[in-house]
Amino acid sequence: MKTIFSGIQPSGTLTLGNYLGAMKQFVTLQYEYNCYFCIVDEHAITVPQDRLKLRENIRSLAALYLASGIDPNQATLFIQSEVSAHTQLGWIMQTQSYIGELERMTQFKDKSDGKEAVSAALLTYPPLMASDILLYNTDVVPVGNDQKQHLEITRDLAQRFNRKFNDIFTIPEIKISKVGARIMSLQEPTKKMSKSDLNQKSTIFILDEPKQIEKKVKSAVTDSEGVVRFDPVNKPGISNLLTILASCSNQTIKQLEASYTNVNYGQFKQDVANAVIAELEPVQQRYNEIINSNELDEILDQGAEKASLVANKKLAKAKKAMGLGRVK
Ligand code: TYM
């Protein structure tokens, strides 16, 4: 059975983009692959975090993974900082990374743009992400479109290490879903929907109340053509809503275009809002049942234990290949 690894940062409430671009596909993949799903809290601290809020976000993300349908009997769910091999291999992979290639990462450029003080860890984020993936002999990494560049550098680092030292890392493939890989902001549909958008109307959060979702979808920016058709260049707003509806209703964009030929934007938006609400309501219900349960802690304990066993073996191989420590 092939192995999957993916991670989500606990850096705020998850968005519909995270859900449709990543989480939703994890749920189907867990039955076909040996899966590791991670709450990457060490990535989150590459930018300043409030300590209490971070704790809350970590737990909330764990509950959301389960609420969205991750089954702990099928997949290993764990917190990155509870498996110390991640930062240890992260250091090793930093020694194989060039500052120039790290500075070229668009996420680094975006997050450091205009900031007076930028942490060194924001620059060395990709070798840590590579370590997450490489520790588990990962074959496939399901992510949204924005992680493509990070996956490319992961492959480069793995190949570089294998060539220089010993052939110990599996070279992972990226898996981007056909629909939903890039959900855009509702207010500026040429920008991706993001947790950190200052305009609250731009982003649907997974835990938003139905009324809020309806309000946000209804105030989404569209165009004056009045025709529901998919054309991301000329009609980014409507195209984004079509993508959202397709992902939430399991219909293709072509089917939707055909059924909305004579429908006005008002009715179309209402249908999009209803579909999003129907998609998220069961997730929210399960989330409320799970968030304060002891079971959640048990699942995370077991996940960390299982992940550590695999990760420590790979770490030991990497250390040995580089000549670190003693031969035992
Ligand atoms: P993060 O936490 O920003 O996002 C988690 C997942 O959600 C996807 N995503 C989106 N998909 C569609 N539309 C959007 N608007 C949207 N916004 C986010 C992301 O592509 C991602 O799949 N670096 C990663 C976390 C990470 C990781 C890893 C991922 C750390 N180690 C190892 C995979 C494997 C990140 O910041 O994702």
Side-chain angles (χ1 to χ4, degrees):
M1 200 185 241
K2 288 195 167 181
T3 297
I4 271 187
F5 183 98
S6 202
I8 300 181
Q9 292 195 60
S11 51
T13 323
L14 285 215
T15 71
L16 185 66
N18 296 129
Y19 180 75
L20 297 178
M23 256 184 184
K24 197 178 171 185
Q25 38 164 349
F26 297 168
V27 178
T28 34
L29 293 170
Q30 68 182 333
Y31 299 104
E32 298 156 34
Y33 292 85
N34 172 30
C35 287
Y36 294 88
F37 296 122
C38 189
I39 295 144
V40 291
D41 54 349
E42 286 163 334
H43 278 101
I45 57 167
T46 55
V47 296
Q49 299 285 343
D50 175 87
R51 122 193 131 85
L52 295 180
K53 198 82 206 132
L54 179 61
R55 282 259 156 77
E56 199 181 303
N57 287 338
I58 291 169
R59 194 174 177 85
S60 167
L61 177 51
L64 269 180
Y65 267 113
L66 298 173
S68 68
I70 295 302
D71 174 354
N73 296 314
Q74 292 289 340
T76 306
L77 177 66
F78 70 101
I79 300 172
Q80 184 186 31
S81 65
E82 296 183 357
V83 179
S84 56
H86 288 248
T87 43
Q88 293 181 57
L89 185 65
W91 178 258
I92 289 177
M93 296 319 278
Q94 275 189 51
T95 68
Q96 302 308 307
S97 310
Y98 304 122
I99 290 178
E101 65 189 349
L102 299 179
E103 281 173 342
R104 280 197 293 278
M105 294 289 118
T106 46
Q107 186 168 303
F108 173 71
K109 287 194 216 159
D110 289 350
K111 288 197 171 174
S112 57
D113 190 30
K115 299 259 162 47
E116 253 177 47
V118 173
S119 75
L122 194 63
L123 182 68
T124 57
Y125 184 114
L128 180 59
M129 176 157 163
S131 306
D132 299 340
I133 296 166
L134 299 176
L135 280 170
Y136 299 92
N137 287 321
T138 303
D139 299 292
V140 182
V141 184
V143 279
N145 202 44
D146 61 339
Q147 296 301 313
K148 217 166 150 188
Q149 206 185 20
H150 284 157
L151 253 292
E152 278 156 15
I153 196 170
T154 297
R155 289 167 58 90
D156 288 348
L157 290 175
Q159 277 158 348
R160 199 175 292 162
F161 187 101
N162 283 355
R163 253 196 326 268
K164 267 203 221 165
F165 303 103
N166 197 357
D167 199 4
I168 62 166
F169 292 128
T170 305
I171 312 300
E173 300 290 332
I174 182 168
K175 183 173 173 53
I176 296 181
S177 66
K178 286 199 189 77
V179 204
R182 196 166 168 79
I183 301 296
M184 311 306 272
S185 150
L186 297 180
Q187 290 300 313
E188 284 176 79
T190 48
K191 263 179 37 188
K192 80 164 184 179
M193 184 179 280
S194 149
K195 288 171 198 152
S196 52
D197 204 311
L198 295 175
N199 184 348
Q200 291 278 307
K201 286 197 320 197
S202 295
T203 309
I204 295 176
F205 294 101
I206 303 189
L207 297 177
D208 273 351
E209 306 253 326
K211 278 252 156 334
Q212 284 173 294
I213 295 174
E214 192 174 345
K215 226 168 133 187
K216 288 179 183 177
V217 173
K218 284 195 169 160
S219 63
V221 167
T222 54
D223 54 67
S224 55
E225 192 194 30
V227 181
V228 178
R229 70 184 170 82
F230 191 73
D231 177 354
V233 175
N234 299 306
K235 294 166 71 68
I238 287 292
S239 303
N240 188 37
L241 293 178
L242 270 169
T243 303
I244 293 174
L245 184 54
S247 306
C248 293
S249 65
N250 290 326
Q251 294 187 69
T252 64
I253 287 178
K254 279 242 153 342
Q255 284 169 331
L256 291 172
E257 277 180 330
S259 54
Y260 281 94
T261 31
N262 288 317
V263 180
N264 63 35
Y265 286 175
Q267 182 58 49
F268 172 59
K269 281 181 166 178
Q270 186 64 59
D271 290 354
V272 174
N274 290 348
V276 174
I277 293 166
E279 177 81 33
L280 295 183
E281 248 180 352
V283 177
Q284 297 178 351
Q285 243 169 40
R286 282 196 298 268
Y287 173 86
N288 290 326
E289 287 158 20
I290 296 166
I291 186 69
N292 291 318
S293 69
N294 293 337
E295 200 197 343
L296 180 57
D297 290 298
E298 283 160 24
I299 291 167
L300 291 171
D301 285 347
Q302 281 166 13
E305 205 177 306
K306 249 177 95 185
S308 292
L309 274 178
V310 179
N312 287 338
K313 275 193 195 144
K314 187 59 84 180
L315 175 66
K317 278 193 179 168
K319 286 168 75 173
K320 189 172 168 206
M322 288 188 91
L324 288 168
R326 289 173 296 152
V327 181
K328 281 190 197 156

